């Protein structure tokens, strides 16, 4: 009975988003990466769902270690959601890939919080959109922090531009998250 209700709710959500046929796709996640995808209070998962229109959920996968991430939606929504999930899962500590580069930039201390965003939402958005990981060192008392961007070489400038937009917005008196 619960399965029938869930299926009806899923079909209703998909039809509201313009999907005519529900497609299902599963991705196996290592157990230690489930929290990264779900996020605090489900925030990351909800953000990916809102951005892509794909309905997603975590399913325990007993035969193998790990969990299944289930995607329901149009093929385009599923493809986009998978791309965002892969960007989130990309190991940021691997700096020796053929297409991985590192860029540093100075960010004024008084705007670091706005760049990071509430609960890290801006840094997460940068990572989802560009595949670039953003790291801020602890505050050392200097007026700026050397921010490290690592990821696909062709996406570093896009991530840098997002950060510069926030910095310029704050320096012109704008308000941030």
């Amino acid at each position: 009975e619960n399965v029938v209700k869930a299926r009806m709710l899923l079909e209703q959500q998909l039809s509201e988003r313009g999907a005519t046929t529900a497609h299902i796709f599963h991705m196996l996640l290592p157990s230690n990466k489930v929290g990264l995808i779900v996020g605090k209070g489900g925030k990351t998962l909800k953000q990916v769902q809102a951005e892509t229109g794909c309905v997603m959920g975590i399913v325990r996968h007993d035969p193998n270690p790990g969990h299944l991430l289930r995607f329901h939606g149009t093929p385009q929504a599923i493809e986009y959601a998978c791309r965002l999930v892969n960007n989130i899962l990309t190991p940021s500590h691997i700096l020796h890939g053929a297409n991985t580069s590192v860029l540093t930039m100075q960010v004024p201390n008084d705007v670091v919080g706005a760049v990071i965003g509430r609960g890290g939402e801006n840094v997460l958005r940068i990572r989802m959109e560009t595949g670039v990981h953003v790291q801020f060192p602890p505050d050392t008392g200097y007026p700026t922090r050397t921010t490290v961007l690592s990821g696909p070489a062709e996406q570093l400038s896009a991530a840098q531009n997002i950060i510069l937009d926030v910095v310029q917005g704050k320096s012109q008196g704008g308000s941030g998250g």
Side-chain angles (χ1 to χ4, degrees), residues 54-81:
C54 187
V55 178
M56 300 161 56
I58 302 292
V59 180
R60 178 79 178 131
H61 189 58
D62 288 327
N64 293 321
H67 294 73
L68 289 176
L69 178 57
R70 180 178 292 161
F71 301 82
H72 294 267
T74 65
Q76 296 83 5
I78 291 172
E79 180 183 352
Y80 186 32

Side-chain angles (χ1 to χ4, degrees), residues 106-114 136-146:
Q106 297 297 315
V107 175
N109 255 345
D110 59 343
V111 297
V112 167
F136 287 94
D139 187 357
T140 58
Y142 290 104
T144 62
R145 292 197 214 177
T146 302

Side-chain angles (χ1 to χ4, degrees), residues 34-47 49 119 124:
V34 171
L36 185 63
I37 296 301
V38 173
K40 188 173 183 177
K43 188 174 186 174
T44 304
L45 192 63
K46 290 174 188 171
Q47 188 174 353
Q49 290 180 105
L124 176 62

Side-chain angles (χ1 to χ4, degrees), residues 18 31 63 148 156 162:
S31 293
V148 179
L156 287 176
I162 294 170

Side-chain angles (χ1 to χ4, degrees), residues 7-177:
R7 184 178 199 97
M8 288 174 39
L9 180 62
L10 174 63
E11 289 172 358
Q12 177 186 355
Q13 288 177 345
L14 290 172
S15 68
E16 288 172 1
R17 294 178 177 159
T20 55
T21 306
H23 288 73
I24 299 173
F25 177 77
H26 291 94
M27 176 187 289
L28 183 62
L29 294 176
S31 293
N32 64 343
K33 299 294 182 186
V34 171
L36 185 63
I37 296 301
V38 173
K40 188 173 183 177
K43 188 174 186 174
T44 304
L45 192 63
K46 290 174 188 171
Q47 188 174 353
V48 172
Q49 290 180 105
E51 186 168 334
T52 64
C54 187
V55 178
M56 300 161 56
I58 302 292
V59 180
R60 178 79 178 131
H61 189 58
D62 288 327
N64 293 321
H67 294 73
L68 289 176
L69 178 57
R70 180 178 292 161
F71 301 82
H72 294 267
T74 65
Q76 296 83 5
I78 291 172
E79 180 183 352
Y80 186 32
C82 286
R83 198 170 340 120
L84 293 181
V85 167
N86 282 328
N87 283 347
I88 294 168
L89 291 174
T90 301
S92 60
H93 61 279
I94 297 176
L95 300 177
H96 297 95
N99 196 24
T100 303
S101 297
V102 177
L103 172 76
T104 60
M105 63 185 289
Q106 297 297 315
V107 175
N109 255 345
D110 59 343
V111 297
V112 167
V115 172
I116 293 171
R118 187 172 305 223
E121 66 187 12
N122 291 343
V123 171
L124 176 62
R125 182 176 57 87
I126 291 169
R127 188 164 184 182
M128 286 173 47
E129 290 178 8
T130 66
V132 172
H133 183 73
V134 181
Q135 289 181 301
F136 287 94
D139 187 357
T140 58
Y142 290 104
T144 62
R145 292 197 214 177
T146 302
T147 306
V148 179
L149 308 176
S150 59
E154 66 276 5
Q155 294 294 331
L156 287 176
S157 63
Q160 184 180 27
N161 287 336
I162 294 170
I163 292 170
L164 289 173
D165 286 345
V166 173
V167 170
Q168 290 170 351
K170 290 297 283 183
S171 67
Q172 294 171 0
S175 62

